[in-house]
Amino acid sequence: MLISSKWPQISRQVATTVTLKRSLASIPNSHSKLTPSAKPKSKDRINYNKSSILSSDDDSKHLSYTRATASDLAKLQKPPREVKMLARDFIHDSLYNPHYGYFPKNAVIFSADQPINFHALKDLPHFQDAVARKYSDEGGAAFTEPGPGKQVWHTPTELFKPWYGQAMARCLVNDYMLRHFPYEDFVIYELGAGNGTLAQNVLDYVRDNHPEVYERTRYRVVEISRNLADLQEARLHAAHPTVEVIHKSIFDWDIRVPGPCYFMAMEVIDNFPHDVLRYRLDDLKPYQALVAIDEDGDFSEIYEPINDPLISQFLQYRSEIQHTPPALSSLFYSSPTLRSVYRAMPFSPNLTPKPEFIPTQLLIFLKVLREYFPRHRLLLSDFSSLPDTVVGFDAPVVQTRYRGTMVPVETFMVQQGYFDIFFPTSFDLLRDMYELVMDKPIGGLRLPGSRPKQGVIEDQGESPPLRLGSNFFVPHGRRVLDGAGGGVELDGQEAPKIFTHQEFMRAYGDLDATRLRSGENPLLDYYKNVKVLF
């Protein structure tokens, strides 16, 4: 019998659940339990695969585990044991748990004190050396400590400051001047502002170049991290009193903003948790993944028929926009005969060999925009592809820093809090799903059995909302406003467009400011795997 070096085979019998197991060495730590259990066995397990075929362990013991959500786990001080949860809840807990999650405890955003002097650098190799020196200086102890510790990473906002932020500001100001000035305030929401660099660069540009717009500007940061929220407020408020930092998860948002606004999500959605699917080969029925954590802290990947309403809604919407599941795009899966022959082979799996990662949390984000920001315009940028991902379709990169070197691993089931887990975005899927959600009535977006949030706050002082419906996106939706001013306003948004990073920077960036002496321009040449939706 052959056992895959990465994934054990699945037995041919189709059961209610099927299990794949993988363990990664847990960093010595005590753990929290949601249910009583027997005393943990003493085992030394380091980065190996535990096959359900060869193991004598009772794989049915997960049936007695408590089923948890990320909200349940947020109350724990230490990672849990003897629990099971959807893949998205495991990823959310690993990244965002306030007590041991990656972002609250270990992530540090690279930010040099002074911007890079591009004109002083000869060419791209010299630019890379300059970045490496600044990166090493900022990393400090994180590059020399013996084990996984603070994880230093950079964004284009920090690497190309202030020019990257100025490009975003130029884009938003141009659109605002066309659509809303001088009849509406210039309201910007930024999701996850990091060190506050983008906000500072945007506001500095508006103040220095468009003082008449700056007087109408209100800048609001939505930040899930208490530490970062405090940092942003301390950095921004003195120079720009218009800034308001709101310490809240966007997924807990309960303030309705009826007036026009701009919503920026820059390098944010790559860390949105995903769910994991495989498809039964007999009939291509999708199965959802659960992550079970046993008494030793080992992880098992369990598959069961889909019963999660959010996953079901995502699959329904994806079908409505006629996007084929990437796991089923091969001609092999369109032929029942070929699948039947394959299934008749000895030891053949009963599920698709590669998992598919679906952006269910991204769908929640789009629904929040639809319900609470009915007249927003979205400016979003993120990775469209990534190297060194784990096995799967639309799979993430999972990595940690060890003694100054980034180490990618082969599974998303890793020690909570020590690994960055980030995903590529299918921008075609995002655009089409975004248009679909924006054109649906709010009531039709709610999951079965869910109720509207209680105590929703109506943001005061902004214009009343326009009626939304199937014309949220219109190609030519200008209408003349009544009154002496006779201004114009868009009675709907233009359909969002997808830009490569280079296309966007050619349209809105100050390319002279980032040009090297050789004529090369890292603002154009870097981040070729990044796209922008606007």
Side-chain angles (χ1 to χ4, degrees):
M1 182 181 296
L2 297 176
I3 303 297
S4 167
S5 63
K6 294 184 178 179
W7 295 108
Q9 298 284 336
I10 307 168
S11 60
R12 288 184 59 189
Q13 289 75 23
V14 177
T16 300
T17 62
V18 286
T19 305
L20 299 173
K21 293 191 173 183
R22 179 181 292 272
S23 299
L24 191 75
S26 295
I27 294 168
N29 196 359
S30 57
H31 296 259
S32 300
K33 298 179 183 179
L34 296 184
T35 58
S37 70
K39 183 178 179 180
K41 293 175 284 186
S42 176
K43 296 182 181 179
D44 182 17
R45 295 178 171 178
I46 300 179
N47 199 21
Y48 76 108
N49 300 318
K50 187 165 67 175
S51 168
S52 59
I53 297 176
L54 299 181
S55 174
S56 61
D57 291 352
D58 180 9
D59 290 331
S60 65
K61 62 185 178 181
H62 70 267
L63 297 174
S64 63
Y65 292 171
T66 299
R67 189 151 178 164
T69 66
S71 297
D72 300 327
L73 300 177
K75 305 169 187 175
L76 301 182
Q77 300 289 325
K78 298 177 177 113
R81 293 189 177 183
E82 297 188 59
V83 297
K84 59 186 175 184
M85 67 207 76
L86 287 167
R88 71 171 182 265
D89 290 307
F90 176 81
I91 295 171
H92 189 284
D93 184 61
S94 299
L95 294 177
Y96 298 109
N97 184 286
H99 306 292
Y100 54 79
Y102 173 81
F103 285 106
K105 304 302 292 185
N106 287 316
V108 177
I109 303 173
F110 163 76
S111 181
D113 292 335
Q114 297 297 323
I116 295 174
N117 184 355
F118 294 93
H119 294 160
L121 300 175
K122 179 182 178 182
D123 51 22
L124 283 177
H126 283 80
F127 170 75
Q128 294 169 354
D129 291 342
V131 172
R133 286 194 299 271
K134 287 180 176 288
Y135 198 56
S136 179
D137 292 343
E138 176 67 20
F143 290 85
T144 57
E145 56 190 10
K150 292 296 183 183
Q151 307 289 303
V152 184
W153 43 277
H154 61 75
T155 66
T157 297
E158 299 289 351
L159 199 58
F160 297 110
K161 67 180 183 184
W163 316 112
Y164 183 86
Q166 289 185 9
M168 301 302 156
R170 194 173 289 110
C171 170
L172 296 182
V173 169
N174 289 354
D175 192 80
Y176 168 73
M177 296 291 284
L178 171 66
R179 297 171 183 274
H180 305 300
F181 183 80
Y183 307 101
E184 305 280 2
D185 285 341
F186 187 34
V187 181
I188 303 173
Y189 284 82
E190 183 186 354
L191 179 61
N195 293 332
T197 302
L198 180 63
Q200 181 178 17
N201 296 158
V202 168
L203 289 168
D204 286 350
Y205 173 85
V206 178
R207 179 196 60 200
D208 297 343
N209 295 276
H210 300 278
E212 73 284 3
V213 173
Y214 186 75
E215 292 178 358
R216 305 293 302 270
T217 299
R218 285 187 282 169
Y219 200 105
R220 294 166 177 167
V221 173
V222 183
E223 179 58 62
I224 191 174
S225 166
R226 176 75 271 174
N227 292 338
L228 287 177
D230 292 340
L231 172 65
Q232 294 155 7
E233 193 157 305
R235 177 176 183 175
L236 297 171
H237 196 263
H240 300 287
T242 184
V243 172
E244 178 184 2
V245 179
I246 304 169
H247 177 220
K248 182 189 287 284
S249 167
I250 189 61
F251 303 109
D252 297 326
W253 192 264
D254 58 359
I255 303 172
R256 192 169 187 276
V257 182
C261 64
Y262 295 89
F263 206 104
M264 287 199 298
M266 316 306 292
E267 299 87 46
V268 172
I269 66 170
D270 58 318
N271 286 121
F272 279 4
H274 285 47
D275 274 294
V276 180
L277 303 179
R278 290 181 193 247
Y279 297 84
R280 191 167 64 182
L281 289 176
D282 290 336
D283 54 10
L284 302 184
K285 178 181 178 181
Y287 275 56
Q288 65 188 25
L290 301 178
V291 177
I293 307 175
D294 69 12
E295 69 274 13
D296 300 315
D298 290 338
F299 307 114
S300 298
E301 191 173 355
I302 303 164
Y303 284 86
E304 64 180 9
I306 289 177
N307 54 44
D308 177 68
L310 180 60
I311 294 177
S312 297
Q313 186 179 60
F314 177 88
L315 296 180
Q316 175 193 334
Y317 287 0
R318 185 171 68 178
S319 176
E320 289 184 28
I321 58 177
Q322 300 180 352
H323 277 248
T324 301
L328 303 180
S329 59
S330 168
L331 292 177
F332 168 79
Y333 295 109
S334 64
S335 171
T337 302
L338 288 177
R339 296 201 313 271
S340 177
V341 171
Y342 180 68
R343 287 285 291 118
M345 297 173 63
F347 313 122
S348 65
N350 53 21
L351 297 180
T352 49
K354 290 184 181 181
E356 177 185 323
F357 294 80
I358 59 171
T360 40
Q361 200 82 6
L362 178 60
L363 175 57
I364 298 177
F365 171 62
L366 298 181
K367 296 198 298 183
V368 169
L369 292 179
R370 171 64 182 87
E371 182 167 3
Y372 295 100
F373 302 87
R375 295 177 66 191
H376 75 278
R377 185 158 193 200
L378 178 63
L379 174 58
L380 181 150
S381 176
D382 229 304
F383 298 108
S384 59
S385 63
L386 290 168
D388 300 322
T389 65
V390 307
V391 174
F393 297 94
D394 297 327
V397 172
V398 184
Q399 65 184 20
T400 190
R401 180 175 295 281
Y402 184 80
R403 294 184 176 177
T405 301
M406 273 298 183
V407 181
V409 299
E410 296 180 343
T411 174
F412 72 95
M413 295 184 293
V414 289
Q415 174 71 27
Q416 300 94 317
Y418 286 91
F419 292 80
D420 193 5
I421 304 173
F422 56 106
F423 296 82
T425 295
S426 170
F427 272 77
D428 290 335
L429 175 66
L430 168 60
R431 176 198 58 209
D432 295 346
M433 189 76 73
Y434 177 50
E435 291 183 359
L436 178 72
V437 170
M438 293 307 118
D439 284 345
K440 282 187 175 291
I442 291 175
L445 295 172
R446 297 194 178 108
L447 298 176
S450 65
R451 298 180 179 179
K453 290 181 181 178
Q454 301 298 314
V456 173
I457 303 170
E458 189 83 7
D459 193 8
Q460 302 298 321
E462 298 186 359
S463 303
L466 295 170
R467 179 181 61 83
L468 292 179
S470 61
N471 65 337
F472 182 84
F473 295 108
V474 293
H476 303 288
R478 292 189 182 181
R479 61 183 175 86
V480 178
L481 294 174
D482 295 332
V488 297
E489 182 176 65
L490 292 181
D491 195 7
Q493 302 286 2
E494 294 182 19
K497 297 181 177 64
I498 298 171
F499 302 84
T500 65
H501 173 82
Q502 186 177 91
E503 288 171 344
F504 188 88
M505 288 302 158
R506 286 192 183 279
Y508 298 107
D510 184 352
L511 301 184
D512 289 337
T514 56
R515 186 172 287 114
L516 308 180
R517 296 205 312 266
S518 65
E520 297 168 298
N521 199 319
L523 185 63
L524 299 178
D525 296 332
Y526 275 51
Y527 294 101
K528 291 186 177 180
N529 61 334
V530 167
K531 291 185 178 180
V532 180
L533 183 75
F534 183 66

Short mmCIF file of all heavy atoms in Angstrom, two decimals, residues 159-200:
data_model
loop_
_atom_site.label_atom_id
_atom_site.label_comp_id
_atom_site.label_asym_id
_atom_site.label_seq_id
_atom_site.Cartn_x
_atom_site.Cartn_y
_atom_site.Cartn_z
N LEU A 159 7.39 50.35 2.05
CA LEU A 159 8.57 50.29 1.20
C LEU A 159 8.68 51.52 0.30
O LEU A 159 9.78 52.02 0.05
CB LEU A 159 8.51 49.02 0.34
CG LEU A 159 9.81 48.52 -0.27
CD1 LEU A 159 10.84 48.25 0.80
CD2 LEU A 159 9.55 47.26 -1.09
N PHE A 160 7.55 52.02 -0.18
CA PHE A 160 7.55 53.13 -1.14
C PHE A 160 6.93 54.40 -0.55
O PHE A 160 6.38 55.21 -1.28
CB PHE A 160 6.80 52.73 -2.41
CG PHE A 160 7.43 51.60 -3.15
CD1 PHE A 160 6.83 50.35 -3.19
CD2 PHE A 160 8.64 51.76 -3.80
CE1 PHE A 160 7.40 49.30 -3.87
CE2 PHE A 160 9.24 50.71 -4.49
CZ PHE A 160 8.62 49.47 -4.53
N LYS A 161 6.98 54.55 0.76
CA LYS A 161 6.39 55.75 1.35
C LYS A 161 7.22 56.97 0.99
O LYS A 161 8.46 56.86 0.86
CB LYS A 161 6.27 55.59 2.87
CG LYS A 161 7.60 55.53 3.64
CD LYS A 161 7.35 55.37 5.13
CE LYS A 161 8.66 55.37 5.91
NZ LYS A 161 8.43 55.13 7.33
N PRO A 162 6.63 58.13 0.80
CA PRO A 162 5.19 58.41 0.85
C PRO A 162 4.48 58.22 -0.50
O PRO A 162 3.31 58.48 -0.63
CB PRO A 162 5.15 59.88 1.24
CG PRO A 162 6.34 60.47 0.54
CD PRO A 162 7.41 59.39 0.59
N TRP A 163 5.25 57.75 -1.53
CA TRP A 163 4.74 57.79 -2.89
C TRP A 163 3.60 56.80 -3.14
O TRP A 163 2.69 57.09 -3.91
CB TRP A 163 5.90 57.53 -3.86
CG TRP A 163 7.13 58.30 -3.49
CD1 TRP A 163 8.32 57.81 -3.03
CD2 TRP A 163 7.26 59.72 -3.48
NE1 TRP A 163 9.19 58.83 -2.74
CE2 TRP A 163 8.56 60.02 -3.01
CE3 TRP A 163 6.42 60.78 -3.82
CZ2 TRP A 163 9.04 61.31 -2.88
CZ3 TRP A 163 6.89 62.08 -3.69
CH2 TRP A 163 8.18 62.33 -3.23
N TYR A 164 3.64 55.65 -2.47
CA TYR A 164 2.55 54.69 -2.63
C TYR A 164 1.25 55.27 -2.08
O TYR A 164 0.20 55.23 -2.74
CB TYR A 164 2.91 53.40 -1.91
CG TYR A 164 1.89 52.29 -2.07
CD1 TYR A 164 1.92 51.43 -3.16
CD2 TYR A 164 0.88 52.11 -1.11
CE1 TYR A 164 0.99 50.42 -3.30
CE2 TYR A 164 -0.06 51.10 -1.25
CZ TYR A 164 0.00 50.26 -2.35
OH TYR A 164 -0.94 49.26 -2.48
N GLY A 165 1.31 55.84 -0.89
CA GLY A 165 0.12 56.46 -0.31
C GLY A 165 -0.38 57.63 -1.12
O GLY A 165 -1.60 57.85 -1.24
N GLN A 166 0.54 58.39 -1.69
CA GLN A 166 0.13 59.52 -2.53
C GLN A 166 -0.61 59.04 -3.78
O GLN A 166 -1.55 59.70 -4.24
CB GLN A 166 1.34 60.35 -2.91
CG GLN A 166 1.93 61.14 -1.74
CD GLN A 166 3.05 62.06 -2.16
OE1 GLN A 166 3.30 62.25 -3.35
NE2 GLN A 166 3.73 62.65 -1.18
N ALA A 167 -0.22 57.90 -4.33
CA ALA A 167 -0.93 57.37 -5.50
C ALA A 167 -2.36 57.02 -5.14
O ALA A 167 -3.30 57.29 -5.90
CB ALA A 167 -0.19 56.13 -6.04
N MET A 168 -2.55 56.40 -3.96
CA MET A 168 -3.91 56.08 -3.51
C MET A 168 -4.71 57.36 -3.28
O MET A 168 -5.89 57.45 -3.65
CB MET A 168 -3.85 55.25 -2.23
CG MET A 168 -3.11 53.94 -2.38
SD MET A 168 -3.83 52.89 -3.67
CE MET A 168 -2.41 51.86 -4.09
N ALA A 169 -4.08 58.35 -2.69
CA ALA A 169 -4.77 59.62 -2.44
C ALA A 169 -5.16 60.29 -3.75
O ALA A 169 -6.28 60.82 -3.89
CB ALA A 169 -3.87 60.54 -1.62
N ARG A 170 -4.27 60.27 -4.73
CA ARG A 170 -4.56 60.90 -6.03
C ARG A 170 -5.76 60.22 -6.69
O ARG A 170 -6.63 60.88 -7.27
CB ARG A 170 -3.32 60.82 -6.90
CG ARG A 170 -3.36 61.71 -8.14
CD ARG A 170 -2.02 61.70 -8.85
NE ARG A 170 -1.00 62.42 -8.11
CZ ARG A 170 0.04 61.83 -7.50
NH1 ARG A 170 0.19 60.52 -7.55
NH2 ARG A 170 0.94 62.55 -6.84
N CYS A 171 -5.81 58.90 -6.60
CA CYS A 171 -6.94 58.16 -7.16
C CYS A 171 -8.26 58.56 -6.50
O CYS A 171 -9.25 58.85 -7.18
CB CYS A 171 -6.69 56.67 -6.98
SG CYS A 171 -8.09 55.61 -7.37
N LEU A 172 -8.27 58.60 -5.17
CA LEU A 172 -9.51 58.90 -4.45
C LEU A 172 -9.93 60.35 -4.65
O LEU A 172 -11.12 60.64 -4.82
CB LEU A 172 -9.33 58.59 -2.96
CG LEU A 172 -9.07 57.14 -2.58
CD1 LEU A 172 -8.97 56.98 -1.07
CD2 LEU A 172 -10.16 56.23 -3.13
N VAL A 173 -8.99 61.28 -4.60
CA VAL A 173 -9.33 62.69 -4.77
C VAL A 173 -9.90 62.94 -6.16
O VAL A 173 -10.89 63.68 -6.31
CB VAL A 173 -8.09 63.58 -4.50
CG1 VAL A 173 -8.37 65.02 -4.93
CG2 VAL A 173 -7.73 63.55 -3.02
N ASN A 174 -9.28 62.36 -7.18
CA ASN A 174 -9.80 62.53 -8.54
C ASN A 174 -11.25 62.07 -8.64
O ASN A 174 -12.10 62.73 -9.25
CB ASN A 174 -8.94 61.76 -9.54
CG ASN A 174 -7.57 62.38 -9.74
OD1 ASN A 174 -7.28 63.45 -9.23
ND2 ASN A 174 -6.71 61.69 -10.48
N ASP A 175 -11.53 60.92 -8.04
CA ASP A 175 -12.89 60.38 -8.10
C ASP A 175 -13.86 61.25 -7.28
O ASP A 175 -14.98 61.52 -7.72
CB ASP A 175 -12.91 58.96 -7.56
CG ASP A 175 -14.22 58.24 -7.86
OD1 ASP A 175 -14.38 57.77 -8.99
OD2 ASP A 175 -15.07 58.19 -6.95
N TYR A 176 -13.41 61.71 -6.13
CA TYR A 176 -14.25 62.56 -5.28
C TYR A 176 -14.57 63.88 -5.98
O TYR A 176 -15.72 64.36 -5.94
CB TYR A 176 -13.55 62.81 -3.95
CG TYR A 176 -14.18 63.89 -3.10
CD1 TYR A 176 -15.38 63.68 -2.44
CD2 TYR A 176 -13.57 65.14 -2.97
CE1 TYR A 176 -15.96 64.67 -1.66
CE2 TYR A 176 -14.12 66.13 -2.19
CZ TYR A 176 -15.32 65.90 -1.55
OH TYR A 176 -15.90 66.89 -0.78
N MET A 177 -13.57 64.49 -6.61
CA MET A 177 -13.81 65.75 -7.30
C MET A 177 -14.80 65.58 -8.44
O MET A 177 -15.60 66.47 -8.73
CB MET A 177 -12.48 66.30 -7.84
CG MET A 177 -11.47 66.66 -6.76
SD MET A 177 -11.95 68.11 -5.78
CE MET A 177 -11.58 69.42 -6.94
N LEU A 178 -14.79 64.43 -9.09
CA LEU A 178 -15.71 64.18 -10.18
C LEU A 178 -17.13 63.93 -9.69
O LEU A 178 -18.09 64.42 -10.29
CB LEU A 178 -15.22 62.96 -10.99
CG LEU A 178 -16.18 62.41 -12.05
CD1 LEU A 178 -16.37 63.44 -13.17
CD2 LEU A 178 -15.64 61.09 -12.62
N ARG A 179 -17.27 63.23 -8.59
CA ARG A 179 -18.58 62.73 -8.17
C ARG A 179 -19.28 63.58 -7.12
O ARG A 179 -20.50 63.75 -7.17
CB ARG A 179 -18.45 61.30 -7.62
CG ARG A 179 -17.98 60.30 -8.63
CD ARG A 179 -17.67 58.95 -7.94
NE ARG A 179 -17.15 57.99 -8.90
CZ ARG A 179 -17.90 57.21 -9.65
NH1 ARG A 179 -19.22 57.25 -9.54
NH2 ARG A 179 -17.36 56.37 -10.52
N HIS A 180 -18.54 64.07 -6.14
CA HIS A 180 -19.20 64.57 -4.93
C HIS A 180 -18.85 66.01 -4.52
O HIS A 180 -19.62 66.63 -3.78
CB HIS A 180 -18.89 63.65 -3.74
CG HIS A 180 -19.23 62.22 -3.99
ND1 HIS A 180 -20.51 61.79 -4.27
CD2 HIS A 180 -18.45 61.10 -4.00
CE1 HIS A 180 -20.51 60.48 -4.43
NE2 HIS A 180 -19.28 60.03 -4.29
N PHE A 181 -17.69 66.51 -4.92
CA PHE A 181 -17.28 67.85 -4.50
C PHE A 181 -18.10 68.90 -5.23
O PHE A 181 -18.32 68.78 -6.44
CB PHE A 181 -15.79 68.04 -4.79
CG PHE A 181 -15.24 69.36 -4.32
CD1 PHE A 181 -14.91 69.56 -3.00
CD2 PHE A 181 -15.07 70.41 -5.22
CE1 PHE A 181 -14.40 70.78 -2.58
CE2 PHE A 181 -14.57 71.63 -4.80
CZ PHE A 181 -14.23 71.81 -3.47
N PRO A 182 -18.58 69.96 -4.58
CA PRO A 182 -18.39 70.29 -3.16
C PRO A 182 -19.61 69.97 -2.29
O PRO A 182 -19.75 70.53 -1.21
CB PRO A 182 -18.18 71.81 -3.23
CG PRO A 182 -19.15 72.22 -4.32
CD PRO A 182 -19.13 71.09 -5.33
N TYR A 183 -20.46 69.06 -2.76
CA TYR A 183 -21.74 68.86 -2.08
C TYR A 183 -21.68 67.81 -0.97
O TYR A 183 -22.59 67.74 -0.15
CB TYR A 183 -22.82 68.47 -3.11
CG TYR A 183 -22.89 69.45 -4.24
CD1 TYR A 183 -22.29 69.18 -5.47
CD2 TYR A 183 -23.52 70.68 -4.07
CE1 TYR A 183 -22.33 70.09 -6.51
CE2 TYR A 183 -23.57 71.60 -5.11
CZ TYR A 183 -22.98 71.30 -6.32
OH TYR A 183 -23.03 72.21 -7.35
N GLU A 184 -20.66 67.00 -0.97
CA GLU A 184 -20.54 65.94 0.03
C GLU A 184 -19.16 66.00 0.68
O GLU A 184 -18.19 66.45 0.07
CB GLU A 184 -20.72 64.56 -0.62
CG GLU A 184 -22.00 64.37 -1.40
CD GLU A 184 -23.19 64.07 -0.51
OE1 GLU A 184 -23.01 64.04 0.72
OE2 GLU A 184 -24.28 63.87 -1.06
N ASP A 185 -19.08 65.52 1.93
CA ASP A 185 -17.78 65.40 2.58
C ASP A 185 -16.96 64.29 1.94
O ASP A 185 -17.51 63.36 1.33
CB ASP A 185 -17.96 65.11 4.07
CG ASP A 185 -18.39 66.33 4.86
OD1 ASP A 185 -18.21 67.45 4.36
OD2 ASP A 185 -18.91 66.17 5.99
N PHE A 186 -15.66 64.40 2.09
CA PHE A 186 -14.71 63.39 1.61
C PHE A 186 -14.45 62.42 2.75
O PHE A 186 -13.60 62.67 3.62
CB PHE A 186 -13.42 64.07 1.15
CG PHE A 186 -12.42 63.18 0.48
CD1 PHE A 186 -12.81 62.11 -0.31
CD2 PHE A 186 -11.05 63.43 0.63
CE1 PHE A 186 -11.87 61.31 -0.94
CE2 PHE A 186 -10.11 62.63 -0.01
CZ PHE A 186 -10.52 61.56 -0.79
N VAL A 187 -15.18 61.33 2.78
CA VAL A 187 -15.13 60.39 3.90
C VAL A 187 -14.38 59.13 3.44
O VAL A 187 -14.76 58.49 2.46
CB VAL A 187 -16.55 60.00 4.38
CG1 VAL A 187 -16.49 59.04 5.55
CG2 VAL A 187 -17.33 61.27 4.76
N ILE A 188 -13.32 58.79 4.16
CA ILE A 188 -12.50 57.63 3.84
C ILE A 188 -12.49 56.69 5.03
O ILE A 188 -12.25 57.10 6.17
CB ILE A 188 -11.06 58.04 3.50
CG1 ILE A 188 -11.01 59.03 2.34
CG2 ILE A 188 -10.20 56.81 3.18
CD1 ILE A 188 -9.62 59.59 2.07
N TYR A 189 -12.72 55.41 4.77
CA TYR A 189 -12.53 54.36 5.76
C TYR A 189 -11.35 53.51 5.31
O TYR A 189 -11.26 53.12 4.15
CB TYR A 189 -13.78 53.47 5.88
CG TYR A 189 -14.92 54.11 6.65
CD1 TYR A 189 -15.78 55.00 6.02
CD2 TYR A 189 -15.12 53.83 8.00
CE1 TYR A 189 -16.82 55.59 6.71
CE2 TYR A 189 -16.16 54.41 8.70
CZ TYR A 189 -17.01 55.29 8.06
OH TYR A 189 -18.04 55.88 8.75
N GLU A 190 -10.44 53.23 6.24
CA GLU A 190 -9.32 52.34 5.95
C GLU A 190 -9.41 51.14 6.88
O GLU A 190 -9.49 51.29 8.10
CB GLU A 190 -7.97 53.03 6.12
CG GLU A 190 -6.81 52.10 5.74
CD GLU A 190 -5.45 52.68 6.04
OE1 GLU A 190 -5.34 53.86 6.42
OE2 GLU A 190 -4.46 51.94 5.90
N LEU A 191 -9.37 49.96 6.31
CA LEU A 191 -9.44 48.73 7.09
C LEU A 191 -8.03 48.24 7.40
O LEU A 191 -7.24 47.98 6.50
CB LEU A 191 -10.20 47.65 6.31
CG LEU A 191 -10.34 46.28 6.98
CD1 LEU A 191 -11.11 46.40 8.29
CD2 LEU A 191 -11.03 45.30 6.03
N GLY A 192 -7.71 48.14 8.69
CA GLY A 192 -6.41 47.62 9.09
C GLY A 192 -5.27 48.53 8.67
O GLY A 192 -4.58 48.26 7.69
N ALA A 193 -5.05 49.63 9.41
CA ALA A 193 -4.11 50.67 8.97
C ALA A 193 -2.67 50.42 9.39
O ALA A 193 -1.81 51.27 9.14
CB ALA A 193 -4.57 52.03 9.51
N GLY A 194 -2.38 49.29 10.01
CA GLY A 194 -0.99 48.97 10.35
C GLY A 194 -0.37 50.02 11.24
O GLY A 194 -0.90 50.38 12.29
N ASN A 195 0.79 50.54 10.82
CA ASN A 195 1.48 51.58 11.59
C ASN A 195 0.88 52.97 11.37
O ASN A 195 1.36 53.94 11.96
CB ASN A 195 2.96 51.63 11.21
CG ASN A 195 3.70 50.38 11.65
OD1 ASN A 195 3.32 49.74 12.62
ND2 ASN A 195 4.75 50.03 10.93
N GLY A 196 -0.11 53.10 10.48
CA GLY A 196 -0.70 54.39 10.19
C GLY A 196 -0.01 55.14 9.07
O GLY A 196 -0.35 56.30 8.79
N THR A 197 0.93 54.47 8.38
CA THR A 197 1.71 55.15 7.35
C THR A 197 0.85 55.55 6.16
O THR A 197 0.96 56.68 5.65
CB THR A 197 2.85 54.24 6.89
OG1 THR A 197 3.68 53.90 8.01
CG2 THR A 197 3.69 54.92 5.82
N LEU A 198 -0.01 54.65 5.69
CA LEU A 198 -0.85 54.99 4.54
C LEU A 198 -1.77 56.16 4.87
O LEU A 198 -1.92 57.09 4.06
CB LEU A 198 -1.68 53.77 4.12
CG LEU A 198 -2.61 53.97 2.93
CD1 LEU A 198 -1.81 54.30 1.68
CD2 LEU A 198 -3.49 52.75 2.69
N ALA A 199 -2.40 56.13 6.03
CA ALA A 199 -3.28 57.24 6.42
C ALA A 199 -2.52 58.56 6.46
O ALA A 199 -3.00 59.59 5.96
CB ALA A 199 -3.90 56.94 7.79
N GLN A 200 -1.33 58.54 7.04
CA GLN A 200 -0.54 59.77 7.11
C GLN A 200 -0.17 60.27 5.72
O GLN A 200 -0.29 61.47 5.44
CB GLN A 200 0.73 59.51 7.92
CG GLN A 200 1.60 60.76 8.07
CD GLN A 200 2.83 60.51 8.93
OE1 GLN A 200 3.21 59.37 9.16
NE2 GLN A 200 3.44 61.58 9.40
#
